[in-house]
Amino acid sequence: MRVKLLGTAAGGGFPQWNCGCALCARCRRGELPSRFQDSVAVSGNGRDWWLLNASPDIRVQLEATSALAAGPGPRDTPVRGVLLTDAEADHTLGLAVLRGGADLTVYAAPPVHEALSTALPLRGLLDRYAPWRWQDTDPLTTQGSTDRTAAASAPFTLSGGLTATLHPVGTKAPKYVAAPATDVPWASAVRIEDPATGGALLYAPCLATWPDGFDDLLASVTCALVDGTFFSAEELGQAVRSPDAGQSLMGHLPVSGPGGTLTRLARHPDLRRLYTHFNNTNPLLDPSSDAADEVRRAGVEVPEDGRELTV
């Protein structure tokens, strides 16, 4: 399975257009590489490509990736569809850029599709350009269980020889959804496996908590792209000089600290582990920082945009 990291930044990209923090200023001076908003492309055969989320930057990301270029026919494209981890605007607005693409399929948990039909009505708009298939990833039910957030989706097959499942990891709803239900799986991790080789990828860009069963999920894959939005719990508030701002309000576990993801990922030393979805305030954006050195010494990677992985 080929995995292309089209973008690795959180919402707004890096530098963020309305941010004058020290890291954004350094990026504008050319001292640090810029990054697109988070999105990934996967393929089992090098011809059929599936997007994991569709950021607002998706047009530029596709144009920058030769394997995803249009052709050979005048309206042909190797993009077959999108798997959504949630309904966040930063992960779904790129669908509007893909309008008119024929025969695309969008997989997502039912509450995500519902949000895209009502609160952020992209589905009706897009279907006026070209009818798409909107596939709910209905969860497998466990006998006797009443927890609607715990069950993974039934496996589904992607063209190109891959098998995918969505696994609930959180109940944080997008900000634009008024009075959202709080007991439904708004956020999911995507697990994609190549049955021919046994290689498996887990993509989890949004982790508000470390959910039950997530260690077992990590143990079932060979490579994991995990939420690295904030390095510390105080980082955002310090950067914008507001004690009321923080990662806990935005649904992301920090990398560092006793409850951070770096300590938890240490339980999986044989797994290839990479962070993604970096906020513009995150010191991991500077490869010479103490934070980046700490993560590297722990055996976790901080990739830049454009990296290709073989899983």
Side-chain angles (χ1 to χ4, degrees):
M1 173 166 44
R2 294 172 64 185
V3 180
K4 289 183 175 289
L5 308 189
L6 305 180
T8 55
F14 181 64
Q16 186 172 301
W17 74 272
N18 63 339
C19 184
C21 74
L23 286 169
C24 285
R26 291 183 60 196
C27 184
R28 292 188 179 100
R29 294 196 298 267
E31 298 171 10
L32 297 173
S34 62
R35 295 173 183 257
F36 294 127
Q37 295 175 79
D38 201 273
S39 191
V40 176
V42 298
S43 178
N45 60 7
R47 298 184 302 277
D48 299 275
W49 288 88
W50 293 86
L51 304 178
L52 310 185
N53 290 337
S55 89
D57 303 325
I58 194 66
R59 188 197 72 82
V60 184
Q61 294 172 351
L62 295 176
E63 290 298 317
T65 308
S66 59
L68 302 177
R75 287 290 185 177
D76 290 343
T77 172
V79 176
R80 302 294 177 246
V82 185
L83 284 66
L84 297 174
T85 62
D86 50 56
E88 297 289 346
D90 302 324
H91 300 157
T92 59
L93 288 180
L95 294 174
V97 179
L98 302 177
R99 66 188 182 279
D103 207 29
L104 298 183
T105 302
V106 180
Y107 290 97
V112 173
H113 276 155
E114 176 64 22
L116 297 181
S117 297
T118 55
L120 184 68
L122 280 173
R123 285 184 62 168
L125 178 153
L126 291 167
D127 283 339
R128 289 179 178 272
Y129 286 87
W132 289 0
R133 289 181 296 274
W134 301 84
Q135 297 285 346
D136 282 340
T137 55
D138 293 322
L140 290 171
T141 56
T142 302
Q143 187 173 6
S145 174
T146 59
D147 186 353
R148 291 197 290 165
T149 68
S153 74
F156 51 96
T157 301
L158 304 175
S159 60
L162 302 177
T163 301
T165 49
L166 264 63
H167 299 258
V169 294
T171 57
K172 178 185 177 292
K175 187 178 293 187
Y176 63 81
V177 176
T182 58
D183 62 342
V184 299
W186 283 103
S188 300
V190 179
R191 184 186 185 277
I192 300 182
E193 182 174 355
D194 184 346
T197 65
L201 171 75
L202 184 68
Y203 177 59
C206 294
L207 290 173
T209 64
W210 195 268
D212 292 342
F214 197 68
D215 282 293
D216 293 335
L217 190 54
L218 288 170
S220 76
V221 300
T222 50
C223 181
L225 286 164
V226 177
D227 187 346
T229 307
F230 298 104
F231 184 74
S232 70
E234 303 80 21
E235 168 193 315
L236 181 60
Q238 292 172 349
V240 301
R241 300 175 185 174
S242 171
D244 297 326
Q247 58 80 26
S248 62
L249 301 177
M250 301 179 69
H252 299 281
L253 278 174
V255 169
S256 63
T261 57
L262 192 62
T263 298
R264 299 172 188 268
L265 287 173
R267 300 196 286 253
H268 303 273
D270 297 329
L271 173 67
R272 186 174 186 184
R273 301 153 296 174
L274 304 93
Y275 280 123
T276 190
H277 204 268
F278 305 107
N279 195 60
N280 59 291
T281 58
N282 193 328
L284 293 179
L285 293 167
D286 179 0
S288 65
S289 67
D290 291 341
D293 184 58
E294 178 182 348
V295 168
R296 283 193 298 267
R297 284 188 283 105
V300 182
E301 300 173 53
V302 182
E304 295 183 1
D305 290 5
R307 174 82 70 87
E308 179 169 337
L309 315 173
T310 302
V311 178

